[in-house]
Amino acid sequence: METKVTSSLTHVLILVLFTLIFVVNQQLVAATNINLVNLGAKSDGLTDSSRAFTSAWNIACESRNPSTIFVPQGRYLVNKALVFNGRNCKNKAISFVIRGTLVAPADFRVLGNAGTWFSFDDVTGVSIFGGVFDGQGAGLWACKRSGKTCPPGATTIRFSNSMNIVVNGLTSLNSQLYHIDFDGCKEVKAEGVQVSASGASPNTDGIHVQHSTGVTIMNTKIGTGDDCVSIGAGTSNLWIENIACGPGHGISIGSLGKELNEPGVVNVTVKSCTFVGTKNGVRIKSWGRPSNGFVRHVLFQHLKMVSGVRISDVTYQDIHGTSETRIGVKFDCSSKYHCADIKVKDVHLTYRNKPAGSSCNNTVGTILGSILPNSCF
């Protein structure tokens, strides 16, 4: 009798355990498609949907199956700075498929000291497809221009210490600070991205890359108030192709050499890009101070500059030092709009202990005082 009771109890326990496993597995399978609206997000542009994003991320991270977080059409207010942390995330394939617009709070002070609006830290295999991220940064830009005390602002999207990242078809509007930032990342592909902000918006770099390797940026359109793409220290194996840049400051490596001990920039390719109405095309910037930083193996290829800017009445005065290239002074101006009334006064630049050279195209100017290298006007 006792044996039969024990046997029956064992069967019951096995059945209960099987049922629990089945229910848990069903929940994990269900986590493969997560609709943000089902978690309380509202598409009215007025109700904060921050909690729904956090809940969706937590559900996806508990699943070992590839998961999709879906944001339907509509406007979703995201009033808080969100951090998606991958350290304890079981899932290595989480996709955000966004059909709607994510809107930052109109009051720039809400996020102004947060650092980043959407932050992805230590994640693997995260993809973002589509979506509009509206940083509503115009209020902060105006504050900074006024000279008042203002918060520094928030970067819209930042990936740090992450790998196997895809950003495709995303639009970033009016970020308070940088639009997209890859810091300490490996194997990133950004394609079909659009970035738009006023040409007068300060420090609104389109895509910033630093301490990262294996980043590809392709088929992207960027117009902003700072660099379209900025490349910081510690970047290697970066490929940039088919970028439409403008307005903005162009594509820049640097500024480098701010610190004495600084990792270098290696293997950078920038090709088939168009610059329209930008302040610069491509450039390498460095601080004028001692540093062991370096730049090596850089290719700028098949670039088109379309300038509609007339440059005149510019003075270069009291400039002394060394040049890293034979040409220390270079004016390369548009054949349509020549540089006019350029003044150079008391300039002394050397290259390897000899006078540096100069080069001028479509430039009319005046030499005042002593100048080395010799004038090419």
Side-chain angles (χ1 to χ4, degrees), residues 28-29 31-33 60 63-68 91-95:
L28 293 181
V29 170
T32 56
N33 290 287
S63 173
R64 295 186 184 278
N65 299 311
S67 298
T68 297
N91 202 329
K92 305 305 179 186
I94 299 177
S95 297

Side-chain angles (χ1 to χ4, degrees), residues 4-330:
K4 290 183 179 180
V5 171
T6 303
S7 178
S8 298
L9 184 59
T10 300
H11 281 92
V12 170
L13 289 173
I14 291 173
L15 180 62
V16 170
L17 182 60
F18 175 79
T19 304
L20 287 172
I21 292 172
F22 178 78
V23 170
V24 170
N25 282 338
Q26 285 295 102
Q27 288 177 341
L28 293 181
V29 170
T32 56
N33 290 287
I34 306 162
N35 192 316
L36 206 71
V37 171
N38 294 340
L39 297 174
K42 303 293 183 184
S43 60
D44 56 11
L46 302 172
T47 306
D48 185 19
S49 296
S50 302
R51 183 175 295 180
F53 272 100
T54 301
S55 298
W57 177 260
N58 291 337
I59 293 170
C61 276
E62 285 300 313
S63 173
R64 295 186 184 278
N65 299 311
S67 298
T68 297
I69 298 171
F70 179 66
V71 183
Q73 290 184 347
R75 292 177 64 82
Y76 299 84
L77 176 65
V78 181
N79 220 26
K80 295 180 175 61
L82 300 179
V83 179
F84 303 102
N85 199 301
R87 290 177 187 171
N88 298 315
C89 188
K90 300 173 185 176
N91 202 329
K92 305 305 179 186
I94 299 177
S95 297
F96 289 79
V97 176
I98 305 173
R99 299 285 181 260
T101 298
L102 312 182
V103 186
D107 184 351
F108 62 82
R109 290 166 294 190
V110 176
L111 295 174
N113 289 305
T116 305
W117 187 21
F118 281 79
S119 183
F120 295 85
D121 299 340
D122 300 287
V123 301
T124 298
V126 169
S127 301
I128 302 177
F129 297 100
V132 177
F133 290 72
D134 187 353
Q136 298 214 93
L140 179 60
W141 311 337
C143 179
K144 290 181 176 180
R145 285 195 297 267
S146 71
K148 298 177 181 177
T149 301
C150 314
T155 291
T156 294
I157 302 170
R158 182 174 185 264
F159 285 90
S160 63
N161 304 315
S162 299
M163 63 185 301
N164 298 335
I165 304 302
V166 172
V167 178
N168 189 287
L170 179 151
T171 297
S172 179
L173 303 177
N174 302 324
S175 181
Q176 290 187 357
L177 206 61
Y178 291 7
H179 286 259
I180 302 172
D181 182 10
F182 299 110
D183 186 356
C185 295
K186 297 178 181 179
E187 304 307 320
V188 175
K189 186 171 184 180
E191 185 169 10
V193 174
Q194 293 194 54
V195 171
S196 180
S198 165
S201 57
N203 305 119
T204 53
D205 294 39
I207 299 178
H208 179 68
V209 183
Q210 65 178 4
H211 302 292
S212 296
T213 186
V215 177
T216 298
I217 306 169
M218 296 181 65
N219 306 324
T220 287
K221 184 177 182 180
I222 302 174
T224 186
D226 211 297
D227 292 326
C228 292
V229 180
S230 55
I231 303 159
T235 299
S236 63
N237 302 327
L238 172 64
W239 188 277
I240 299 171
E241 183 176 1
N242 194 26
I243 307 298
C245 173
H249 294 181
I251 295 177
S252 302
I253 298 176
S255 297
L256 303 176
K258 186 175 183 180
E259 306 296 335
L260 177 61
N261 297 308
E262 184 179 272
V265 173
V266 185
N267 294 337
V268 174
T269 296
V270 180
K271 65 180 296 185
S272 303
C273 299
T274 302
F275 301 84
V276 180
T278 57
K279 290 189 175 180
N280 311 284
V282 290
R283 57 180 177 163
I284 301 173
K285 304 183 294 181
S286 67
W287 292 81
R289 62 181 70 173
S291 174
N292 58 11
F294 59 88
V295 179
R296 295 177 187 151
H297 307 309
V298 175
L299 173 63
F300 297 129
Q301 184 181 56
H302 306 318
L303 307 180
K304 182 179 181 181
M305 315 291 179
V306 182
S307 175
V309 179
R310 294 174 172 84
I311 299 174
S312 63
D313 192 16
V314 178
T315 300
Y316 298 85
Q317 182 175 3
D318 191 20
I319 301 172
H320 298 76
T322 59
S323 172
E324 285 295 313
T325 62
R326 293 181 182 276
I327 303 300
V329 175
K330 183 176 182 179

